[in-house]
Amino acid sequence: MVLAATRTDGLSSGRLRISGPSVTATIPVGEKPRKACFIIAETDFAEAAVQISTLLAHPPSKQTDDVWTWDLFAIDGGLQPLGQFTEGQWAQLSLSYPTVTILVQRIKDQGVILHYTEDPVLTASPPQPLAADAGDVRHFKAWIEQDGRRVPFAGQVHLKKRPFSIVLRGSHALAYSIVSSTDKRAIPGKPSEADFQDLFDRFAVGAEAERDTVLFVNQPHDAAPYVRVNQMWEESEADNRHQFQSYKIDSGGVATARRDIDRVLYDDGHGPAVPISRWSHGPIYVLVTGDPAIEGFPHVDPKYAELVFD
């Protein structure tokens, strides 16, 4: 056997022990938030995936020829699939227990990568009610500006191969989720909430520097949610995230946020980013949604545009 996997039964604070030719790791479950990634060389993907499935005693939540993924709650009594709980149960459990994602991915000619992620966000206190001056959190406006020209963020938008700005105007309580691809099939024009959950996978949000000016663009083969990079743009003093070049709130609580774009990060988030002037991969399909900090409205007012560089 090229991969051995065992666990301590019964408690959310048990261990997953993963052994292979090049690594042996013991992963604590349900203790401190942590991430771990282990490359197990010369390990057969099919055997590794079956071993992890046997270890967890549950089939994968998502499965392709190259990636098996499990989304689980680390609750007392063991790891349990998120899919077996109702939305109400899920919301209640998330206040007390972390979620865990385990992923086995085939690496061509190299074996497999095993990812383990425990999400600390869902163990936090529930969202606070929105301030009275939050205004309309169900809708926002969006447009693109380049060389003094303003065009709506909708349908096909023709741009020059020069920097441009995406401008978002809505409640100051809104953050924004963005996903981009060179494959129009990867991002439907009017996704359902189930589609949003895949498109904006919380484990695939691209890391950005303060006031960054990069647009993450996924390749056509990156249509599966666990390899699609998405972005979260927000203005937050508490978290020290200021990912807009300008952010102004008027007396009515409506914020105008400007995000400048002068580079594109292609190839599933692996750099380097290239200037817009050197972009050579055709149209970019972009979806933007609003994200109010209130339960029940995780994604609002989707807007879809095809950026064509002339």
Side-chain angles (χ1 to χ4, degrees):
M1 288 177 50
V2 293
L3 177 72
T6 58
R7 62 161 294 166
T8 300
D9 292 327
L11 298 175
S12 60
S13 59
R15 262 69 169 172
L16 302 180
R17 183 175 177 80
I18 311 297
S19 303
S22 64
V23 64
T24 297
T26 299
I27 307 171
V29 177
E31 295 181 356
K32 296 179 180 179
R34 61 185 69 211
K35 288 186 178 181
C37 176
F38 304 99
I39 299 178
I40 305 175
E42 299 178 0
T43 296
D44 179 73
F45 169 77
E47 184 170 350
V50 169
Q51 287 282 346
I52 295 298
S53 187
T54 301
L55 162 73
L56 299 174
H58 297 293
S61 308
K62 306 167 188 173
Q63 179 179 342
T64 70
D65 291 341
D66 295 317
V67 183
W68 287 23
T69 307
W70 290 263
D71 296 310
L72 309 149
F73 265 124
I75 65 175
D76 292 332
L79 295 169
Q80 299 296 326
L82 267 64
Q84 74 178 28
F85 300 103
T86 66
E87 290 186 8
Q89 291 171 327
W90 189 94
Q92 187 65 33
L93 287 168
S94 68
L95 302 181
S96 304
Y97 300 104
T99 56
V100 167
T101 293
I102 296 174
L103 180 150
V104 180
Q105 181 173 356
R106 186 196 310 272
I107 303 300
K108 185 178 180 181
D109 300 327
Q110 296 182 39
V112 304
I113 290 181
L114 171 67
H115 297 266
Y116 169 90
T117 307
E118 182 174 325
D119 188 353
V121 175
L122 297 180
T123 62
S125 59
Q128 298 299 313
L130 290 175
D133 65 351
D136 183 5
V137 296
R138 294 175 175 83
H139 302 93
F140 66 95
K141 296 180 180 179
W143 63 89
I144 293 177
E145 293 184 359
Q146 186 183 63
D147 298 339
R149 183 173 67 101
R150 170 174 165 173
V151 295
F153 189 95
Q156 194 174 84
V157 178
H158 288 265
L159 299 171
K160 298 176 182 177
K161 284 190 177 182
R162 293 207 287 266
F164 61 92
S165 299
I166 297 177
V167 184
L168 305 164
R169 179 172 171 80
S171 166
H172 68 87
L174 282 176
Y176 299 93
S177 290
I178 298 89
V179 64
S180 307
S181 177
T182 54
D183 186 351
K184 67 186 302 181
R185 300 168 300 175
I187 305 175
K190 295 182 179 180
S192 67
E193 184 56 35
D195 293 321
F196 287 142
Q197 295 301 321
D198 282 342
L199 285 168
F200 301 117
D201 188 329
R202 64 183 180 276
F203 299 116
V205 177
E208 301 185 63
E210 184 176 345
R211 300 192 188 280
D212 213 336
T213 57
V214 171
L215 183 68
F216 292 175
V217 178
N218 294 274
Q219 292 191 36
H221 68 271
D222 295 331
Y226 35 73
V227 291
R228 181 186 290 115
V229 176
N230 61 86
Q231 295 173 272
M232 172 69 77
W233 295 346
E234 60 183 323
E235 193 80 0
S236 172
E237 291 289 347
D239 296 329
N240 195 30
R241 290 194 293 267
H242 308 273
Q243 294 178 340
F244 294 106
Q245 275 59 52
S246 66
Y247 189 85
K248 299 179 181 179
I249 304 176
D250 65 20
S251 58
V254 176
T256 301
R258 178 184 300 273
R259 169 78 178 210
D260 295 339
I261 303 295
D262 60 14
R263 294 171 296 152
V264 175
L265 188 58
Y266 199 42
D267 192 20
D268 193 24
H270 300 290
V274 300
I276 293 291
S277 60
R278 291 170 49 195
W279 178 251
S280 60
H281 300 283
I284 300 176
Y285 303 91
V286 186
L287 175 69
V288 179
T289 70
D291 290 322
I294 183 172
E295 186 178 347
F297 295 99
H299 299 284
V300 299
D301 204 7
K303 302 185 187 302
Y304 177 76
E306 175 187 353
L307 309 184
V308 178
F309 296 93
D310 299 324

